[in-house]
Amino acid sequence: NAGVMQNPRHLVRRRGQEARLRCSPMKGHSHVYWYRQLPEEGLKFMVYLQKENIIDESGMPKERFSAEFPKEGPSILRIQQVVRGDSAAYFCASSPGLGDNYGYTFGSGTRLTVV
Amino acid sequence: KNEVEQSPQNLTAQEGEFITINCSYSVGISALHWLQQHPGGGIVSLFMLSSGKKKHGRLIATINIQEKHSSLHITASHPRDSAVYICAVSNYGGSQGNLIFGKGTKLSVKP
């Protein structure tokens, strides 16, 4: 039973390009969460999704960032027109139900570098 | 002041020592989480607790709800325990997954 799979592990983008980060939750997990870890800073919540629904996006920057969790396939975090300040580690977590009841399983993260 | 504070920020220990990492929080919580992150690596969830004490192998986590304080203990520490340990809380009434994280404690265990 594979854990939470994130790809790519490392992603390099030039300023102005788009970055697409993928997260496949654990089998049977229908709740997905995205977090960002800026260099030398703590983790910050970005967005909580269930299949085909965004439940809480209060941590998402208002512009250029979007997330989806389609009926089929992985959850995608999309960053348009990347800037240097987007360089960070992005982590995904999943849970089979409410996270505070079941706990959270994290992935290995995607390290985004904007050059 | 951050809502979740950890101490110490950095900790160096000799192999075999007993280690304690502290976490204090200022919000009402529904659960507290201890996470482990190896350099360049992913995040592993160690404990989720809302009261009392939990034990897994050489790791013990305790929480005092009245004092808004939790501790993570490592007995008989080993170099492979070297990692960053992160405390996070689920804000009571907040949405699922909207965790508030501490800045982490970097532990280095020397052989």
Side-chain angles (χ1 to χ4, degrees):
Chain A
N1 185 14
V4 176
M5 304 300 292
Q6 289 190 250
N7 64 82
R9 287 295 303 273
H10 299 274
L11 181 62
V12 179
R13 282 287 176 266
R14 295 188 182 280
R15 280 177 294 171
Q17 289 185 320
E18 178 179 287
R20 279 182 174 247
L21 288 62
R22 293 174 186 76
C23 169
S24 295
M26 282 189 71
K27 188 176 180 180
H29 287 201
S30 58
H31 299 238
V32 166
Y33 318 86
W34 286 93
Y35 304 91
R36 179 165 68 172
Q37 187 175 43
L38 291 165
E40 306 305 320
E41 291 190 25
L43 287 150
K44 299 274 191 230
F45 166 80
M46 298 182 77
V47 62
Y48 162 37
L49 310 104
Q50 293 181 27
K51 283 287 186 182
E52 300 185 276
N53 287 303
I54 297 173
I55 307 301
D56 179 0
E57 56 181 347
S58 59
M60 289 276 271
K62 293 288 183 269
E63 297 176 351
R64 302 186 297 107
F65 284 71
S66 62
E68 62 176 7
F69 187 17
K71 189 176 179 182
E72 302 290 338
S75 176
I76 305 287
L77 180 67
R78 183 182 177 207
I79 312 172
Q80 295 178 290
Q81 299 173 333
V82 296
V83 301
R84 289 236 170 96
D86 297 332
S87 295
Y90 292 82
F91 290 92
C92 166
S94 71
S95 61
L98 297 178
D100 287 348
N101 293 342
Y102 293 90
Y104 303 89
T105 303
F106 287 82
S108 296
T110 293
R111 271 81 183 166
L112 172 66
T113 302
V114 179
V115 297
Chain B
K1 190 180 189 300
N2 294 329
E3 292 165 303
V4 179
E5 296 274 3
Q6 288 185 236
S7 64
Q9 275 188 290
N10 294 282
L11 181 56
T12 300
Q14 287 298 127
E15 184 173 357
E17 284 185 1
F18 180 84
I19 288 161
T20 295
I21 298 170
N22 296 298
C23 174
S24 295
Y25 54 91
S26 57
V27 296
I29 68 168
S30 52
L32 183 141
H33 309 263
W34 281 102
L35 312 171
Q36 180 193 56
Q37 184 177 23
H38 285 282
I43 295 170
V44 175
S45 180
L46 300 174
F47 295 104
M48 180 176 71
L49 63 167
S50 55
S51 65
K53 175 180 175 178
K54 287 191 176 180
K55 184 175 189 291
H56 186 257
R58 295 180 295 107
L59 302 178
I60 303 166
T62 64
I63 188 168
N64 185 318
I65 297 294
Q66 286 72 32
E67 294 187 3
K68 295 189 173 181
H69 181 269
S70 175
S71 292
L72 177 68
H73 306 285
I74 305 175
T75 62
S77 59
H78 190 276
R80 66 174 174 266
D81 296 326
S82 298
V84 175
Y85 292 84
I86 302 167
C87 173
V89 300
S90 299
N91 196 353
Y92 185 78
S95 77
Q96 299 297 305
N98 195 338
L99 305 176
I100 305 170
F101 296 86
K103 291 190 183 299
T105 294
K106 186 175 182 180
L107 172 65
S108 178
V109 181
K110 306 292 186 188

